[in-house]
Amino acid sequence: MNRAGRAVMTMVAGALMLSAGPAVASEPGLELIGTTQIPFDSRFDGITIGGLSGLDRLRGDQYLAISDDKGDGRPPRFYQLSIGLDPAHRAMTVQVERQTPLRDLRGVRFPMDRAVVDPEGIRHLAHGHILWSSEGTWSEDPALRVQPAIYESNAAGRVLRQYHLPSAYLYADNRTRGAASNGVLEGLAVAPKGGVFAINEVPAYEDGTANGPALHRLTRFDPRTGRPLRQYVYDVPDARYSVSELLAIDDRRFLSIERVAPFDMRQGVRARIVLSRIADDTTDVLSCPALPRCAAVPMTREVLLDLPGRYDGVLIDNLEGMAWGPRLSDGRRTLILVADDNFNPEETTQFLAFAWPGADPLR
């Protein structure tokens, strides 16, 4: 999501009937073990590297990253990266290995003379295909409006099919109903057993509340049909935070990035890594037309790590992508995060690596 799209949406008043509790902060279990960045206006095959909004690990040191370039002068695309870790020196290396333009169902590259897709999340599938999400393009003119989408593409970037999205993820009037422009599908996850999940960055207009938590919808999709199976309330107690990434631990547990927007890069970006869970009593709200009117039990949540604007000597940037990293030689589990520089010289394409000291709480 770019800075222009981060205006706080007008909330719809309503009686909140969710049994939501506050986020519970735990002792930080994550240790910063590496950081690096790609210098601004670095290029690969003559095209600027930037806007990295999603990240996923393939194997070894190989990763996928997607740019949120909308096609206004540069092609919508994803990258293959190699990322190395050197925890002893708190260092990382990042190298761009390949660049792949995204293509439509006909195999034609998306246009570069206008904004159509807005890529945000990326995940690989077991058979070599990739999933990627787009926030689309809002327009008052229905003929120019492009709806948000989850696409399945082959390794060459050609769209093979499109998932069926719930109405809360689709644009309606951008005032009272449906998704908020440029605030939809930033979080995309594929669980180890193949389950597909997505979450909206900011709540749909009908899910807004005058006071109380921000009510997001986390949806599970059937990977065979691309249709939604179930949906759960993911509540954010402080509505200043939006959800910019989702990473599956399994079919019930997730890590997410929440970050405050808008922000001032001179102060850094406030963000946090949150562990959430679909419990046995979490309510399926797929058929609920407006969350404030439905009694529901939300997912549980716990803040694993709070990142103020500056953390452990590092100025935190606009974190939007998260992937599993390798197990370290001592057995510790790692996470790799990437920040979207919005093609803005005041921001950076930042990479951060974290590890859990001692016992892994996610085993």
Side-chain angles (χ1 to χ4, degrees), residues 334-346:
T334 61
L335 281 175
I336 311 294
L337 280 66
V338 66
D340 175 1
D341 71 348
N342 291 310
F343 300 97
N344 182 341
E346 296 180 0

Side-chain angles (χ1 to χ4, degrees), residues 9-83:
M9 59 183 289
T10 302
M11 293 299 186
V12 180
L16 180 62
M17 300 178 66
L18 295 170
S19 55
V24 179
S26 64
E27 289 297 318
L30 288 164
E31 174 191 352
L32 183 64
I33 60 168
T35 180
T36 191
Q37 63 185 42
I38 297 176
F40 180 76
D41 205 29
S42 295
R43 293 172 181 264
F44 187 87
D45 288 345
I47 299 173
T48 302
I49 302 166
L52 301 189
S53 297
L55 187 70
D56 197 34
R57 187 182 181 209
L58 293 172
R59 60 199 170 275
D61 66 353
Q62 297 297 296
Y63 294 76
L64 293 175
I66 198 164
S67 172
D68 68 0
D69 233 337
K70 300 172 180 61
D72 41 4
R74 294 175 296 258
R77 62 200 178 279
F78 65 91
Y79 297 97
Q80 187 165 328
L81 312 176
S82 62
I83 300 178

Side-chain angles (χ1 to χ4, degrees), residues 263-284:
F263 52 81
D264 180 351
M265 271 312 302
R266 293 170 298 181
Q267 306 297 321
V269 181
R270 290 197 63 91
R272 54 198 182 198
I273 298 174
V274 175
L275 170 64
S276 61
R277 179 174 176 267
I278 301 168
D280 291 341
D281 62 346
T282 303
T283 308
D284 180 358

Side-chain angles (χ1 to χ4, degrees), residues 65-233:
I66 198 164
S67 172
D68 68 0
D69 233 337
K70 300 172 180 61
D72 41 4
R74 294 175 296 258
R77 62 200 178 279
F78 65 91
Y79 297 97
Q80 187 165 328
L81 312 176
S82 62
I83 300 178
L85 297 180
D86 181 6
H89 298 93
R90 209 169 84 163
M92 302 175 67
T93 58
V94 177
Q95 180 72 37
V96 177
E97 305 268 334
R98 185 181 306 159
Q99 177 177 268
T100 302
L102 292 164
R103 302 172 184 270
D104 64 18
L105 281 163
R106 300 168 297 161
V108 177
R109 293 189 183 192
F110 286 102
M112 292 191 293
D113 60 347
R114 63 189 184 277
V116 179
V117 295
D118 182 1
E120 293 291 350
I122 189 168
R123 298 294 173 197
H124 77 282
L125 300 172
H127 47 59
H129 292 172
I130 65 167
L131 284 182
W132 58 282
S133 62
S134 167
E135 291 187 315
T137 303
W138 163 257
S139 174
E140 292 283 355
D141 183 350
L144 300 177
R145 190 180 308 159
V146 180
Q147 290 289 358
I150 296 174
Y151 297 105
E152 182 173 338
S153 295
N154 63 18
R158 179 176 180 168
V159 170
L160 302 175
R161 64 169 176 151
Q162 187 172 329
Y163 277 42
H164 302 269
L165 297 188
S167 60
Y169 294 167
L170 299 175
Y171 296 134
D173 62 12
N174 200 37
R175 288 183 297 276
T176 63
R177 297 182 297 109
S181 175
N182 208 30
V184 198
L185 294 170
E186 296 241 358
L188 182 66
V190 176
K193 294 183 179 179
V196 174
F197 300 84
I199 190 170
N200 45 0
E201 182 183 12
V202 298
Y205 283 100
E206 57 264 42
D207 293 337
T209 58
N211 297 291
L215 308 178
H216 303 252
R217 293 181 186 243
L218 187 149
T219 305
R220 178 169 186 166
F221 293 87
D222 184 336
R224 296 169 300 174
T225 65
R227 294 187 177 277
L229 293 172
R230 287 175 288 281
Q231 195 174 76
Y232 307 97
V233 177

